[in-house]
Amino acid sequence: MKVTLQTQAGLEVFEGKNEQGHTILLGGKGNAVGPMESVLIAAAGCSTIDIIMILEKMKQGVTDVKVEVQGTRREKIPRYFTDIHLHYIITGEVKEKKAEQAVNSSLEKYCSVSLMLEKAVNITSSFEVKSEA
Amino acid sequence: MKVTLQTQAGLEVFEGKNEQGHTILLGGKGNAVGPMESVLIAAAGCSTIDIIMILEKMKQGVTDVKVEVQGTRREKIPRYFTDIHLHYIITGEVKEKKAEQAVNSSLEKYCSVSLMLEKAVNITSSFEVKSEA
């Protein structure tokens, strides 16, 4: 897997690009998503892909997933995360028990990002299921 | 630090948002940057912020940084990275020795993303310095 990063004018924003040419912008001074924020987003995105796939295999009618992620950083440099909490808000005709199984399967077995981070960080999760409005 | 992730229509693309409202799009089926790709971009972005700051403190005239990142994944699930290589292409009036110091300082002391990943992944680096065209 290959990606490139390229500084933009002013050297404060960086464009990351994958092999298909899709891009994201990151930055270090509040003018774009920061690198550490993007790691939290990656953990949420990776597990959400799993959760949707697992719920669909279970014939659950998931229509929307939102994730609220809280990362707690070390006080000292390097300020990596000590704790990450992922809260999943799953919308649709989804049974609580199935949602629980999907979240746990992702975080314990499948999600490459969270299972990699878990070697360094204490990762916890919670979830709620909402019916369609 | 807080972020949110929200599925978009079709449940195949996800918008990640930070507290300032800056966003990135991730996806799992080749229609956006993937979560694992975004982790490589985060490692490159985090260290590039440090490298630019360190080179500027050293009064080096850095005008551009590009990073080529290669990630090697496990064969088995979960397919997190076993190895990440970061190659920095630093452009400007920058002494080789200063560039080397900046890259090493970032990866050994400051970069939160790479120093967190290092607990799980073998991270290596290389660099080249180019004069302005």
Side-chain angles (χ1 to χ4, degrees):
Chain A
M1 176 178 282
K2 283 185 193 174
V3 302
T4 56
L5 188 89
Q6 174 65 59
T7 55
Q8 306 287 296
L11 303 185
E12 293 187 356
V13 176
F14 315 107
E15 184 185 73
K17 187 184 287 188
N18 72 5
E19 288 181 282
Q20 289 77 47
H22 296 296
T23 59
I24 57 175
L25 278 187
L26 298 183
K29 295 189 178 170
N31 44 15
V33 169
M36 286 292 275
E37 290 170 336
S38 75
V39 170
L40 297 181
I41 293 168
C46 171
S47 53
T48 295
I49 291 168
D50 294 337
I51 289 166
I52 290 169
M53 191 172 5
I54 295 166
L55 288 173
E56 288 179 344
K57 278 190 186 162
M58 289 171 166
K59 311 291 185 198
Q60 301 296 295
V62 56
T63 56
D64 186 79
V65 178
K66 184 176 178 180
V67 192
E68 296 170 350
V69 193
Q70 168 91 49
T72 308
R73 300 177 72 164
R74 275 164 48 101
E75 298 272 325
K76 292 185 182 170
I77 287 170
R79 298 200 60 225
Y80 50 71
F81 297 118
T82 57
D83 298 271
I84 295 174
H85 184 78
L86 297 144
H87 180 68
Y88 299 91
I89 302 162
I90 298 167
T91 302
E93 293 298 311
V94 174
K95 291 190 176 129
E96 289 269 336
K97 191 72 195 163
K98 300 291 189 187
E100 185 180 0
Q101 284 173 13
V103 170
N104 290 347
S105 289
S106 173
L107 295 178
E108 291 167 14
K109 283 189 212 165
Y110 299 113
C111 174
S112 304
V113 176
S114 68
L115 288 159
M116 178 170 62
L117 293 175
E118 204 177 58
K119 311 273 184 189
V121 185
N122 178 40
I123 298 181
T124 54
S125 69
S126 54
F127 74 95
E128 62 191 281
V129 176
K130 286 187 174 175
S131 320
E132 294 278 8
Chain B
M1 176 178 281
K2 282 184 192 172
V3 302
T4 57
L5 188 89
Q6 173 65 59
T7 55
Q8 306 287 297
L11 303 184
E12 294 187 356
V13 176
F14 315 107
E15 184 185 75
K17 188 184 286 187
N18 72 5
E19 288 182 282
Q20 289 77 46
H22 296 295
T23 61
I24 58 174
L25 278 187
L26 297 184
K29 296 188 177 171
N31 43 15
V33 169
M36 286 292 275
E37 289 170 338
S38 75
V39 170
L40 297 182
I41 293 168
C46 172
S47 53
T48 296
I49 290 168
D50 294 337
I51 289 166
I52 290 169
M53 191 171 10
I54 295 166
L55 288 174
E56 288 178 345
K57 278 190 187 163
M58 288 170 166
K59 311 289 183 199
Q60 302 296 295
V62 55
T63 56
D64 185 80
V65 179
K66 184 177 178 180
V67 193
E68 296 169 348
V69 194
Q70 167 92 48
T72 307
R73 300 177 73 165
R74 275 164 49 101
E75 298 271 327
K76 292 185 183 171
I77 288 170
R79 299 199 59 224
Y80 49 73
F81 297 118
T82 56
D83 298 271
I84 295 174
H85 185 78
L86 298 143
H87 180 67
Y88 299 91
I89 302 162
I90 299 166
T91 302
E93 293 299 312
V94 175
K95 290 190 177 132
E96 290 268 338
K97 191 71 195 165
K98 301 290 188 186
E100 184 179 1
Q101 284 172 12
V103 170
N104 290 347
S105 290
S106 173
L107 295 178
E108 290 165 14
K109 284 190 210 163
Y110 298 113
C111 175
S112 303
V113 176
S114 68
L115 288 159
M116 178 169 62
L117 293 175
E118 203 177 60
K119 311 274 183 186
V121 185
N122 179 39
I123 298 179
T124 54
S125 70
S126 55
F127 74 95
E128 60 192 281
V129 176
K130 284 187 176 178
S131 320
E132 295 278 6

